[in-house]
């Protein structure tokens, strides 16, 4: 009996030892898994004021930020293709300090191009009346810029040093490249022998001294329900034309045929405010709706 008890005790001890040996690795493995749980499993702390992670966010949030600032590559100075080389009027030009409303043609900038010629009577796309003024020119479509060049005075200089001043009254579409001016035959003859056909020129905007006063004209078909308004004889290029609308002013859109249009008749027959590229505003009142009649004013832009 005693032996049997000893045998059972020994067997029980062996079973206990075996259980300890079997269970011990699992306990250690569970402990290892607990210690390796990533902090990212916890929700990120979000600042209520911005909705973005705060500086105390988890390591995973921080690692999502770029490790280095990426700087876009700079274009090389000579990246322009020779086949698409822009003319001077295609290149960005520094704006004149006093002409913030200027378009492509800006005061103080000299442009390069070609001069050609055609038979001109002073009329053309700007819809000015034909006149005895033979010192005129047609501006290429790019620099014409939806009639912004209409009425501008430009000084044109040939390679031989001869220069003339012409007024832009027309547009030269098609074959005329940016920078090119199609002069009246008389103006071209002042610069070079007409048999040359075309010559290299430089040109720039000018503000002439003797230009009289401006006139205003309502387009054919104008009424108090619809009207087109044109400024004529302005010393400097016109940037805006506005009409009185209640207690304020309404800016009218400009067409490529050099009229400012009021589609619904707003301001037709009322006060008109004309602004040049230098920002000078001139107000004209008392201009009745008389279609296709040039009506003089007593105002003119200052010389620059």
């Amino acid at each position: 009996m005693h032996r049997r008890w000893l045998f059972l005790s020994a067997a029980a001890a062996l079973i206990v030892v075996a259980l300890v040996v079997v269970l011990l690795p699992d306990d250690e493995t569970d402990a290892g898994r607990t210690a390796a749980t990533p902090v990212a499993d916890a929700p990120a702390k979000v600042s209520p004021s911005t909705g973005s992670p705060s500086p105390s966010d988890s390591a995973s949030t921080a690692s999502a930020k770029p490790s280095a600032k990426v700087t876009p590559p700079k274009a090389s100075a000579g990246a322009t293709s020779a086949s698409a080389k822009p003319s001077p009027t295609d290149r960005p030009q520094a704006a004149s300090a006093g002409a913030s409303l200027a378009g492509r043609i800006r005061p103080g900038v000299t442009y390069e191009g070609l001069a050609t010629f055609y038979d001109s009577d002073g009329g053309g796309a700007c819809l000015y009346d034909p006149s005895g003024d033979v010192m005129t020119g047609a501006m290429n479509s790019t620099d014409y810029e939806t009639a912004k060049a209409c009425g501008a005075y430009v000084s044109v200089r040939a390679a031989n040093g001869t220069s003339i001043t012409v007024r832009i009254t027309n547009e030269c579409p098609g074959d005329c490249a940016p920078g090119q001016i199609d002069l009246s035959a008389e103006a071209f003859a002042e610069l070079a022998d007409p048999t040359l056909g075309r010559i290299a020129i430089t040109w720039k905007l000018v503000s002439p001294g003797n230009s009289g006063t401006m006139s205003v004209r309502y387009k054919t078909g104008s009424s108090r329900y619809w009207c087109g308004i044109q400024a004529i004889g302005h010393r400097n290029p016109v940037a805006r034309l506005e009409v009185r609308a209640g207690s304020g002013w309404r800016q009218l859109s400009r067409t490529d045929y050099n009229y400012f249009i009021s589609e619904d008749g707003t301001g037709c027959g009322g006060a008109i405010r004309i602004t040049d590229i230098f920002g000078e505003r001139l107000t004209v009142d008392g201009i009745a709706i008389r279609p296709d009649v040039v009506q003089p004013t007593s105002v003119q832009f200052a010389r620059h």
Side-chain angles (χ1 to χ4, degrees), residues 39-88:
V39 181
D41 285 350
K45 181 180 178 182
V46 178
S47 170
S49 61
T50 62
S52 57
S54 71
S56 60
D57 287 345
S58 65
S60 65
T61 302
S63 65
K65 298 177 182 178
S67 60
K69 182 178 179 182
V70 179
T71 304
K74 297 181 179 180
S76 62
T80 303
S81 166
S83 62
K85 183 177 180 181
S87 78

Side-chain angles (χ1 to χ4, degrees), residues 161-208:
T162 305
S163 65
I164 58 171
T165 295
V166 298
R167 184 167 67 103
I168 302 303
T169 62
N170 203 357
E171 176 185 12
C172 179
D175 294 337
C176 279
Q180 184 173 346
I181 302 178
D182 204 20
L183 299 171
S184 66
E186 294 85 352
F188 187 95
E190 292 285 330
L191 295 176
D193 186 338
T195 60
L196 294 174
R198 62 176 56 203
I199 58 172
I201 58 169
T202 58
W203 56 273
K204 61 182 179 180
L205 185 70
V206 293
S207 182

Side-chain angles (χ1 to χ4, degrees), residues 35-269:
T37 300
V39 181
D41 285 350
K45 181 180 178 182
V46 178
S47 170
S49 61
T50 62
S52 57
S54 71
S56 60
D57 287 345
S58 65
S60 65
T61 302
S63 65
K65 298 177 182 178
S67 60
K69 182 178 179 182
V70 179
T71 304
K74 297 181 179 180
S76 62
T80 303
S81 166
S83 62
K85 183 177 180 181
S87 78
T89 45
D90 279 334
R91 302 183 189 119
Q93 303 286 352
S96 169
S100 59
L101 298 178
R104 292 177 59 86
I105 303 175
R106 304 187 178 191
V109 178
T110 298
Y111 301 91
E112 298 177 353
L114 293 174
T116 49
F117 66 90
Y118 74 111
D119 292 328
S120 170
D121 59 4
C126 296
L127 293 192
Y128 298 136
D129 291 334
S131 68
D133 180 11
V134 295
M135 293 292 111
T136 60
M139 185 62 71
N140 67 85
S141 293
T142 301
D143 297 317
Y144 183 78
E145 199 177 3
T146 315
K148 285 184 180 179
C150 284
Y153 290 88
V154 295
S155 176
V156 183
R157 180 179 294 274
N160 61 14
T162 305
S163 65
I164 58 171
T165 295
V166 298
R167 184 167 67 103
I168 302 303
T169 62
N170 203 357
E171 176 185 12
C172 179
D175 294 337
C176 279
Q180 184 173 346
I181 302 178
D182 204 20
L183 299 171
S184 66
E186 294 85 352
F188 187 95
E190 292 285 330
L191 295 176
D193 186 338
T195 60
L196 294 174
R198 62 176 56 203
I199 58 172
I201 58 169
T202 58
W203 56 273
K204 61 182 179 180
L205 185 70
V206 293
S207 182
N210 301 319
S211 52
T213 57
M214 278 195 294
S215 298
V216 172
R217 173 165 53 192
Y218 277 96
K219 196 178 187 309
T220 302
S222 293
S223 68
R224 63 191 181 92
Y225 303 106
W226 177 96
C227 67
I229 307 172
Q230 180 186 57
I232 304 171
H234 39 88
R235 174 181 277 126
N236 307 316
V238 171
R240 296 175 181 164
L241 190 147
E242 301 163 285
V243 293
R244 177 72 74 181
S247 59
W249 295 92
R250 176 178 171 182
Q251 183 175 339
L252 302 184
S253 59
R254 189 177 204 161
T255 66
D256 59 1
Y257 52 85
N258 197 33
Y259 272 87
F260 294 83
I261 305 298
S262 175
E263 294 285 357
D264 59 4
T266 299
C268 297

